[in-house]
Amino acid sequence: MASRDLLEQLKLQTEQLLKEFFAKVCMPQESILVVGCSTSEVLGQHIGQGGTIQVAQVILSSLLTSVQERNIFLAIQCCEHLNRALVVEKNCQMRYNLEQVSAYPIATAGGSMAACAMQLYKQPVLVESIQAQAGIDIGQTLIGMHLQKVAVPIRLEITKIGQAQLTCAYTRPKLIGGPRAVYSPQ
């Protein structure tokens, strides 16, 4: 069980992360932010070895507040036991025509963050894949498969949540053609 001091520290770190992230990334309304988080890594353990719903609740609560203020969708990636499926709100699934899959994430099969999202979301559904416009990876959970092309890394002052390494990215359209490219017949 995590101490109150640790939980408060994680809350403050998550809020700092989100402040820095959204200062650098402008996400249009109804775009998707994918987040992968190993609560085990946050606690300094190996991924999948010591996760906790308590830590997930602290991090996810800050995430939800931040995305709701910006009217963007939050996709929470499950662990490898559910093939890194994602928990999203039903309106996100419908808006992006995402294929729903049948499973119910729990802490030991899906991960603590996904299990917590199933509890905190209004209408949670599980989808197999997504192409998000930006992402936050807490603890090297490998969210890259759920980002649009081309992913651009973001460097932030904050580099960890608890003991977990942070990797953040936004996406941009592909740059094709180079300086000699012609885009109109004139």
Side-chain angles (χ1 to χ4, degrees):
M1 180 171 267
S3 71
R4 284 183 195 243
D5 288 344
L6 176 59
L7 294 174
E8 184 60 28
Q9 175 191 359
L10 296 176
K11 180 179 188 278
L12 293 173
Q13 288 175 333
T14 304
E15 289 170 354
Q16 179 185 351
L17 161 66
L18 294 166
K19 181 179 178 184
E20 286 186 46
F21 181 85
F22 286 114
K24 292 189 175 197
V25 178
C26 180
M27 295 185 69
Q29 289 190 9
E30 295 191 342
S31 58
I32 301 170
L33 172 65
V34 63
V35 174
C37 177
S38 167
T39 59
S40 298
E41 292 282 335
V42 169
L43 294 172
Q45 299 179 34
H46 289 291
I47 196 166
Q49 300 301 308
T52 166
I53 293 287
Q54 193 177 31
V55 168
Q57 287 174 330
V58 168
I59 295 170
L60 187 56
S61 293
S62 293
L63 285 165
L64 285 170
T65 298
S66 192
V67 299
Q68 288 166 355
E69 289 170 356
R70 292 167 175 80
N71 193 28
I72 59 177
F73 295 118
L74 180 62
I76 298 295
Q77 178 181 267
C78 295
C79 73
E80 66 180 300
H81 296 100
L82 293 183
N83 298 324
R84 293 192 172 83
L86 305 117
V87 180
V88 297
E89 288 282 8
K90 181 74 173 170
N91 58 349
C92 177
Q93 182 254 330
M94 299 296 289
R95 162 79 168 79
Y96 283 95
N97 196 30
L98 303 171
E99 185 172 355
Q100 187 174 345
V101 293
S102 293
Y104 194 93
I106 58 173
T108 56
S112 294
M113 282 289 285
C116 189
M118 293 300 285
Q119 295 171 2
L120 295 180
Y121 280 21
K122 293 175 184 148
Q123 291 184 288
V125 296
L126 201 65
V127 298
E128 189 169 18
S129 64
I130 213 162
Q131 292 297 294
Q133 290 79 21
I136 297 173
D137 190 326
I138 304 169
Q140 300 176 331
T141 63
L142 303 175
I143 63 165
M145 69 180 75
H146 296 302
L147 292 173
Q148 292 177 342
K149 295 177 183 176
V150 170
V152 179
I154 302 168
R155 303 285 180 245
L156 303 175
E157 292 294 317
I158 187 166
T159 59
K160 290 185 176 185
I161 299 291
Q163 299 300 310
Q165 291 290 341
L166 283 176
T167 304
C168 301
Y170 68 93
T171 62
R172 63 159 174 77
K174 294 178 185 179
L175 302 175
I176 62 169
R180 296 185 296 173
V182 176
Y183 298 101
S184 73
Q186 285 76 357

